[in-house]
Amino acid sequence: SFWGNDTLYFYSTRFGGSVCRVTRNGDIWTQPSKVSLTIPAGKSLGKQFSITTDGIIYAELWNNDDSDADIYRWKLVDGRYSAYEKPNENINSPEYDFMPFIEPNERYLLFCRQSPEGFGKTDIYISFRNADGTWTKAINMGSKINTPEEEGFPSISPDGKYFFFCREGKFGFNPYWVSAKIIEELR
């Protein structure tokens, strides 16, 4: 398994905006090192990414002029990250698609989309992975999650019981949580 208690992945501007990692050996952490991801020309790595138990990274890439954002995937092969893959239109739309959270076993992907077809400014969507590795058409998580305000930062608790997200409010973004059973209701 890729996950362990000895490695921490994070976004840093230290190396020009990249995914970085540190590893713990006893009580000592290594110096941060950049995770080598191939980024297509004209794109830059956003601050949100998510990793599966097998080390597959899902991240948002923004056009350098901020005119669009899409979600990309890098697979860990023999200790190195492969060339990027861009999931099809079932995940990436002509709208802004960003803030990915991949379920640790890659069963579903939660992400945000800024679309005039949604409930408001930014909504949270979900796409389920089929047995053949393709993805279902993204589903808006509905009015139990999305409002006319901006929703974002979706994640699931490590035990899979709780769905966390933030909503824009009077004083910034406020955290919320609901039962993760809402995910199975949408399947």
Side-chain angles (χ1 to χ4, degrees):
S1 173
F2 180 75
W3 288 91
N5 295 325
D6 62 348
T7 304
L8 173 69
Y9 288 79
F10 58 97
Y11 175 85
S12 176
T13 58
R14 178 180 244 178
F15 301 104
S18 60
V19 174
C20 296
R21 82 174 142 232
V22 292
T23 303
R24 183 177 63 183
N25 186 0
D27 292 336
I28 307 295
W29 289 91
T30 61
Q31 288 294 315
S33 63
K34 180 179 177 179
V35 174
S36 182
L37 300 175
T38 303
I39 307 293
K43 302 277 186 186
S44 59
L45 183 67
K47 295 178 181 165
Q48 299 294 314
F49 69 93
S50 186
I51 303 176
T52 70
T53 55
D54 293 331
I56 298 168
I57 294 177
Y58 283 75
E60 62 187 29
L61 294 184
W62 289 80
N63 285 354
N64 288 340
D65 64 1
D66 288 335
S67 63
D68 193 19
D70 285 311
I71 297 168
Y72 286 73
R73 177 183 188 259
W74 293 263
K75 191 173 181 181
L76 189 62
V77 179
D78 297 327
R80 304 187 81 185
Y81 281 96
S82 64
Y84 61 85
E85 301 170 16
K86 183 179 176 185
N88 68 18
E89 67 279 354
N90 286 342
I91 292 174
N92 288 305
S93 71
E95 314 299 337
Y96 288 82
D97 300 298
F98 57 104
M99 289 188 191
F101 175 85
I102 188 67
E103 189 273 335
N105 295 308
E106 217 174 2
R107 294 181 306 153
Y108 56 84
L109 176 69
L110 296 165
F111 62 96
C112 296
R113 178 175 286 164
Q114 186 177 25
S115 172
E117 296 173 7
F119 286 87
K121 298 176 185 175
T122 300
D123 289 348
I124 298 174
Y125 285 73
I126 188 168
S127 180
F128 295 95
R129 190 165 185 224
N130 296 312
D132 64 1
T134 60
W135 291 93
T136 63
K137 182 176 165 104
I139 302 166
N140 185 302
M141 294 206 60
S143 62
K144 290 181 182 177
I145 302 299
N146 296 309
T147 68
E149 298 305 322
E150 187 173 346
E151 281 77 31
F153 307 100
S155 65
I156 301 294
S157 60
D159 62 7
K161 292 182 180 180
Y162 302 101
F163 171 45
F164 296 95
F165 63 99
C166 289
R167 179 176 295 139
E168 180 183 37
K170 187 175 181 180
F171 301 106
F173 280 91
N174 301 305
Y176 290 85
W177 64 271
V178 296
S179 169
K181 290 179 182 177
I182 191 168
I183 290 168
E184 293 308 316
E185 292 170 8
L186 292 170
R187 188 176 291 273

